[in-house]
Amino acid sequence: MEAAKIIARYRDGRMLKGLSQDFSPNKPNFQLYQEAEGVSGVPVRVDLDELKAVFFAKSFTGDRDYKERKVFLHGDKPSGRKVEVVFADGEMLQGSVLGYNPKHSGFFLFPVDPEGNNMRAFVVNGAVKAFRYL
């Protein structure tokens, strides 16, 4: 199994970047290998209930010159249903979901901009202030 590039964003504003081979939305935690150490280093245990979201990224650096689109444009036809998520800290994300259940630990959100650095995110329901279908 290939390691996923993950950016773990905590509710308190902290952020960790690294590789993971064992993330599952059905588990309360996963192991994150810090970016510089690779999968041979010592992993950090990441508890989902402390997180805001887990971003699955194409790269850890991204493209500073690229302006990622944050909202849907008229005519966008994503897979799944269009949604808007507002986190407890006020940050807003739009994207699409294939399924949503507020009783689960969270849900996968596919970003508005397919050319952006994030391929998908796992949003932790405990960090969500508002959720609505667009």
Side-chain angles (χ1 to χ4, degrees):
M1 175 187 215
E2 187 176 328
K5 292 180 179 103
I6 286 182
I7 301 168
R9 300 228 2 238
Y10 286 81
R11 294 180 199 195
D12 64 8
R14 290 180 293 145
M15 179 173 41
L16 282 179
K17 295 179 182 181
L19 303 171
S20 181
Q21 293 177 304
D22 73 337
F23 174 83
S24 170
N26 301 320
K27 292 179 14 183
N29 55 58
F30 63 95
Q31 302 298 315
L32 187 70
Y33 294 86
Q34 298 282 323
E35 171 187 9
E37 297 177 19
V39 290
S40 62
V42 177
V44 174
R45 178 181 153 162
V46 178
D47 294 317
L48 277 184
D49 64 357
E50 295 179 15
L51 297 180
K52 174 177 166 173
V54 176
F55 292 90
F56 295 82
K58 295 174 186 171
S59 79
F60 291 122
T61 55
D63 179 355
R64 292 183 185 266
D65 296 327
Y66 183 74
K67 299 295 182 210
E68 186 175 357
R69 186 163 48 99
K70 302 287 186 183
V71 296
F72 284 107
L73 298 176
H74 182 70
D76 279 349
K77 292 182 179 19
S79 297
R81 294 185 65 184
K82 295 178 186 179
V83 299
E84 181 178 272
V85 177
V86 179
F87 291 97
D89 66 4
E91 181 181 8
M92 184 273 296
L93 288 178
Q94 285 189 0
S96 61
V97 297
L98 298 176
Y100 169 71
N101 185 334
K103 294 179 182 175
H104 290 167
S105 62
F107 57 94
F108 283 100
L109 179 123
F110 297 89
V112 168
D113 190 347
E115 302 302 317
N117 191 45
N118 294 315
M119 297 179 288
R120 69 185 182 277
F122 181 77
V123 176
V124 178
N125 274 329
V128 174
K129 178 180 175 181
F131 176 97
R132 71 179 180 108
Y133 291 103
L134 300 176

